[in-house]
Amino acid sequence: MKIAMLSPIAWRTPPRHYGPWENVVSLLTEGLVRRCMDVTLFATQDSMTRARLQGVCPRGYEEDDHIQPKVFECLHIANVFEQGDAFDLIHNHFDYLPLTYSGMTQTPVLTTIHGFSSPDILPVYKKYNNRCSYVAISEADKSPDLTYAATIHHGIDLGQFTFRPEQGDYLLFLGRIHPDKGTAQCIEVAQRTGRKLIIAGIIQDQTYFHTQVKPHVDGSRIVYVGSVGPQQRDKLMGGAYALLHPIDFDEPFGLSVVESMACGTPVVAFARGSMPEIIVHQKTGFLTNHVDEMVQAIDLVGDLDRGACRQWVEERFSVDRMVTDYMRVYETIIRQSRRQDHRPWGFYEVLADKPDHKVKRITVYPGQRLSYQRHFRRSEHWYLMQGTAVITRNGQDIRQGPGQSLDLPVGTWHRIRNAGPDNLVFIEVQTGDYFGEDDIERREDDYGRV
Ligand SMILES: O=P(O)(O)OC[C@H]1O[C@](O)(CO)[C@@H](O)[C@@H]1O
């Protein structure tokens, strides 16, 4: 199975500190490589992977002001789709833009929808709903207007998160500093419970940081440590009493929530978006509805079993489980896309579909036969691969076996019967100017389709 994995180029894959989509792409890519899958990762040129790396953008555009995001996004996406036919599947993690390139290739395109940044992007997903396949990252994030191949929760690399059985004493906020993530609410909870709060993450909303967060930072009770890399994150999470997650939006998935539980640290969150799918209320944390409830829940965290938090993540959110789920979806999509079309007599697979010819691999079950038919806009050439056939051409029966072939010019009445005990397989090359299934005039049919 040859997979093209299309990562965003905002950050390096894997990201140095922040970059959740790139992080998931990296975990999945490396997991697939461990399972001996043939993966080409399309990401920034400085990305690190054991897969084959292809990139046109030197660094993440969030990490280098000289990089024009739009220009490199176009070049990056085109690079994948111009080579699309070389892969069995293109797995897109780049949001909606690559969907508009999907007509450039016959290769199926699977998109993991990492969340809807706004309802305004839905029309693109709706337009490509039948041509492309979608994976949701939580049940909560599903749009009723789309069909999904599966819901696959993210998995994390448990090796990066050390389980700490002993309870810490501070509260932790870890995420983007933005009103959506509720940094200010965490400060209020810390102040009302008399606990220390450590804040870690990139500042995404400067005004919010300067007005709602910074005035409270005193370096002892409320501490801001900036954006943290993997090692510091592991230490901060494992040493915390609880992770606070008072989100003000329907978060499609919360990687930091899962990571915290992996260290044994329970999470107290607002019960929005995917939180009820990720946290087991009163077991691995608390689902609350407002700051007052969150304040009340803080004392109860001490009664939770940190081992149960770790176990929950091991069972449900490992990278291995995520890889297995994706491999299943890949197999299903690839199988379907091979364009097997099932008929009462057997099935066929389209091997090529070009403006001037179409090629099918046709399988006829033992004892079955196609309708007696003719075409007006195509000629056919049949080459037998396997089995024994009786072909009727303009009323005359011809017996054929593997390696034999015959021509059926436009207007010839014809049919084929499997006269052997095994499946009959032949390759059909159609030439003409139209190859639709509606250019078939049936005169007789065993299945009542005349
Ligand atoms: O009408 P039927 O019996 O399903 O046969 C349809 C098949 O016959 C063919 O036209 C071959 O003559 C195929 O291209 C087509 O898929």
Side-chain angles (χ1 to χ4, degrees):
M1 214 186 271
K2 292 179 85 173
I3 306 295
M5 191 71 74
L6 176 56
S7 192
I9 51 166
W11 309 97
R12 188 190 76 175
T13 302
R16 290 181 173 80
H17 51 105
Y18 177 78
W21 297 16
E22 289 85 349
N23 182 22
V24 171
V25 172
S26 174
L27 290 171
L28 177 60
T29 302
E30 304 315 306
L32 290 166
V33 171
R34 277 196 299 279
R35 307 258 187 113
C36 300
M37 298 270 289
D38 184 340
V39 186
T40 303
L41 173 66
F42 291 83
T44 58
Q45 287 171 338
D46 64 348
S47 292
M48 291 158 64
T49 181
R50 287 179 55 223
R52 206 171 297 112
L53 178 66
Q54 275 211 39
V56 291
C57 185
R59 283 170 298 284
Y61 58 73
E62 293 285 1
E63 303 178 74
D64 184 341
D65 288 348
H66 298 102
I67 293 170
Q68 293 287 324
K70 276 207 161 62
V71 171
F72 276 95
E73 281 181 357
C74 290
L75 294 173
H76 178 60
I77 297 168
N79 187 32
V80 180
F81 282 87
E82 281 164 6
Q83 309 175 51
D85 292 343
F87 298 97
D88 295 313
L89 184 134
I90 297 171
H91 189 171
N92 165 39
H93 294 266
F94 204 107
D95 216 347
Y96 56 87
L97 188 57
L99 300 176
T100 65
Y101 290 62
S102 59
M104 286 174 68
T105 176
Q106 296 279 325
T107 300
V109 179
L110 170 68
T111 297
T112 294
I113 304 179
H114 285 261
F116 297 96
S117 51
S118 132
D120 297 342
I121 68 174
L122 199 58
V124 188
Y125 285 110
K126 274 163 82 173
K127 176 168 181 196
Y128 293 94
N129 194 36
N130 292 325
R131 184 195 281 262
C132 299
S133 307
Y134 302 137
V135 160
I137 60 170
S138 64
E139 289 301 321
D141 198 50
K142 279 180 158 173
S143 161
D145 293 328
L146 305 179
T147 41
Y148 291 86
T151 297
I152 302 182
H153 285 149
H154 294 329
I156 61 165
D157 176 4
L158 281 145
Q160 284 188 26
F161 299 93
T162 317
F163 173 61
R164 308 266 168 77
E166 67 287 354
Q167 195 170 70
D169 57 359
Y170 58 87
L171 302 173
L172 178 65
F173 169 92
L174 199 145
R176 302 177 273 130
I177 298 178
H178 186 279
D180 276 357
K181 293 284 193 169
T183 327
Q185 281 77 3
C186 293
I187 293 171
E188 187 185 339
V189 172
Q191 288 168 340
R192 287 174 57 183
T193 55
R195 288 181 185 268
K196 176 178 174 177
L197 173 71
I198 297 183
I199 299 170
I202 59 163
I203 302 168
Q204 206 180 39
D205 185 325
Q206 289 288 346
T207 312
Y208 177 70
F209 176 73
H210 286 287
T211 58
Q212 311 281 315
V213 180
K214 203 170 168 215
H216 301 281
V217 174
D218 58 11
S220 60
R221 304 301 297 173
I222 310 285
V223 179
Y224 176 54
V225 296
S227 181
V228 293
Q231 278 160 9
Q232 205 185 345
R233 184 184 52 188
D234 180 38
K235 225 172 122 196
L236 277 177
M237 282 180 158
Y241 172 74
L243 179 86
L244 302 187
H245 207 63
I247 41 173
D248 196 27
F249 75 121
D250 293 324
E251 191 169 33
F253 194 85
L255 271 175
S256 61
V257 172
V258 175
E259 292 166 355
S260 173
M261 293 186 295
C263 296
T265 302
V267 182
V268 186
F270 281 176
R272 294 192 58 169
S274 59
M275 290 305 116
E277 294 172 51
I278 303 178
I279 297 167
V280 188
H281 184 53
Q282 297 176 333
K283 191 174 175 197
T284 69
F286 290 94
L287 295 166
T288 62
N289 294 299
H290 42 73
V291 168
D292 290 346
E293 268 185 29
M294 193 169 261
V295 167
Q296 281 170 19
I298 298 300
D299 277 347
L300 306 175
V301 167
D303 300 334
L304 299 179
D305 173 6
R306 291 177 66 92
C309 294
R310 173 77 182 192
Q311 196 186 339
W312 167 244
V313 177
E314 283 175 356
E315 285 167 8
R316 301 290 287 269
F317 301 104
S318 71
V319 81
D320 263 358
R321 192 272 306 143
M322 174 173 75
V323 171
T324 303
D325 286 355
Y326 272 111
M327 284 178 71
R328 260 193 220 122
V329 171
Y330 293 169
E331 275 161 21
T332 308
I333 293 172
I334 290 168
R335 213 179 314 119
Q336 281 164 358
S337 82
R338 297 225 158 112
R339 292 167 201 274
Q340 271 189 3
D341 201 318
H342 290 260
R343 299 295 164 109
W345 42 257
F347 59 91
Y348 66 79
E349 200 180 306
V350 177
L351 304 179
D353 195 356
K354 303 287 176 197
D356 60 349
H357 70 277
K358 183 167 180 171
V359 182
K360 288 179 177 175
R361 184 178 193 273
I362 300 181
T363 301
V364 187
Y365 298 133
Q368 307 298 316
R369 60 180 181 172
L370 276 65
S371 63
Y372 195 42
Q373 57 179 270
R374 64 178 173 178
H375 311 290
F376 295 95
R377 294 176 63 180
R378 70 178 189 243
S379 299
E380 292 173 346
H381 176 80
W382 286 354
Y383 181 88
L384 265 75
M385 302 291 298
Q386 176 190 309
T388 310
V390 174
I391 297 162
T392 308
R393 188 170 58 181
N394 286 333
Q396 217 188 14
D397 282 352
I398 307 156
R399 205 176 175 87
Q400 283 204 338
Q404 292 184 290
S405 62
L406 124 168
D407 286 301
L408 301 162
V410 172
T412 308
W413 285 102
H414 62 281
R415 83 182 331 162
I416 186 166
R417 173 165 68 88
N418 183 345
D422 302 315
N423 281 353
L424 167 71
V425 180
F426 64 102
I427 303 294
E428 175 179 272
V429 180
Q430 303 175 2
T431 48
D433 62 358
Y434 179 69
F435 310 113
E437 285 302 289
D438 51 354
D439 178 27
I440 298 175
E441 185 188 352
R442 292 183 180 130
R443 192 204 277 184
E444 255 178 58
D445 183 52
D446 292 347
Y447 316 100
R449 299 172 302 158
V450 176

